[in-house]
Amino acid sequence: GDSVTQMEGPVTLSEEAFLTINCTYTATGYPSLFWYVQYPGEGLQLLLKATKADDKGSNKGFEATYRKETTSFHLEKGSVQVSDSAVYFCALTGGYQKVTFGTGTKLQVIP
Amino acid sequence: GAGVSQSPSNKVTEKGKDVELRCDPISGHTALYWYRQRLGQGLEFLIYFQGNSAPDKSGLPSDRFSAERTGESVSTLTIQRTQQEDSAVYLCASSLAAGVSGDTQYFGPGTRLTVL
């Protein structure tokens, strides 16, 4: 079945550092790929998505590119802020729209 | 109107009791999903509804779990004879339509269930 593997956290970075959170997937067909974010005390919300190979999703300075050849969707941000501290989930949807999530990566940004 | 809402936000119950969790999806969203998030873990799919089609119950962990949805509106997730292992945050999400790749799911704030 479908699966998503993302790097384990927690990841601790200083403010303005470069962020990469790795995500790879296994799926049949051509899934859509997502990054969701869960800020402390809040619900899960969509950060960005890509629906086909080579698409780049971007939002709030975050980017991720759908790489079919490496089955990856790594999340990057050039300069993180304290307000980016959250748990980030990589996810995919296959043909039936059921979302398969990774286990989440906690990011802590220190001033 | 607003986003997905869930109630109660917190529920503490004793082992063996039944609980009902409620989800109000975004108006007009035909697809509704339930997930479970155990402490420090990822999200676990439980069940999804799409319009009047038979729900996909493939993620329900045991026959103590059941869910209903009235048309394209409110859904309730029922857990009978709760166990301590049921303690988790239960998340509901809705989307415009299932089966459309890339359709965004919108999540509610969750219900935190604690079974003593």
Side-chain angles (χ1 to χ4, degrees):
Chain A
D2 297 346
S3 67
V4 175
T5 303
Q6 60 182 107
M7 63 189 290
E8 291 192 17
V11 174
T12 302
L13 295 174
S14 297
E15 208 165 18
E16 299 183 1
F18 185 88
L19 168 72
T20 300
I21 300 178
N22 290 336
C23 171
T24 56
Y25 66 90
T26 302
T28 54
Y30 302 94
S32 293
L33 303 175
F34 304 79
W35 277 100
Y36 283 86
V37 59
Q38 189 171 31
Y39 296 104
E42 297 185 17
L44 208 64
Q45 56 186 277
L46 178 69
L47 179 60
L48 54 84
K49 70 179 183 182
T51 58
K52 61 183 188 297
D54 300 326
D55 268 4
K56 178 185 286 188
S58 61
N59 185 26
K60 300 181 180 180
F62 290 89
E63 292 183 340
T65 301
Y66 189 141
R67 300 287 188 200
K68 194 172 190 303
E69 63 275 15
T70 54
T71 61
S72 65
F73 194 55
H74 305 321
L75 182 67
E76 297 182 335
K77 185 174 186 182
S79 176
V80 293
Q81 306 299 312
V82 172
S83 58
D84 294 326
S85 298
V87 181
Y88 293 81
F89 292 91
C90 185
L92 67 82
T93 59
Y96 290 99
Q97 194 61 7
K98 181 178 71 178
V99 184
T100 300
F101 285 87
T103 53
T105 302
K106 184 176 182 178
L107 171 66
Q108 183 176 14
V109 181
I110 54 178
Chain B
V4 178
S5 61
Q6 293 184 245
S7 61
S9 55
N10 280 285
K11 176 71 177 179
V12 180
T13 190
E14 294 179 348
K15 179 181 173 181
K17 300 281 190 182
D18 297 352
V19 295
E20 271 193 4
L21 313 180
R22 176 187 169 108
C23 171
D24 282 272
I26 293 172
S27 177
H29 281 191
T30 62
L32 185 147
Y33 311 78
W34 283 98
Y35 297 89
R36 177 169 69 179
Q37 185 178 22
R38 288 189 165 127
L39 186 64
Q41 298 186 22
L43 277 74
E44 176 187 0
F45 166 78
L46 297 177
I47 186 171
Y48 103 85
F49 298 88
Q50 169 57 47
N52 294 320
S53 302
D56 176 352
K57 304 179 181 180
S58 60
L60 294 178
S62 78
D63 59 8
R64 296 186 295 106
F65 288 72
S66 63
E68 292 184 350
R69 187 180 186 194
T70 306
E72 293 184 353
S73 60
V74 171
S75 175
T76 55
L77 176 69
T78 301
I79 308 173
Q80 296 178 309
R81 305 181 302 281
T82 52
Q83 304 295 313
Q84 289 181 333
E85 70 214 37
D86 300 334
S87 297
V89 175
Y90 289 82
L91 291 167
C92 175
S94 71
S95 67
L96 277 171
V100 177
S101 182
D103 195 22
T104 299
Q105 294 190 13
Y106 296 85
F107 284 81
T111 294
R112 182 176 297 278
L113 175 66
T114 303
V115 181
L116 302 176

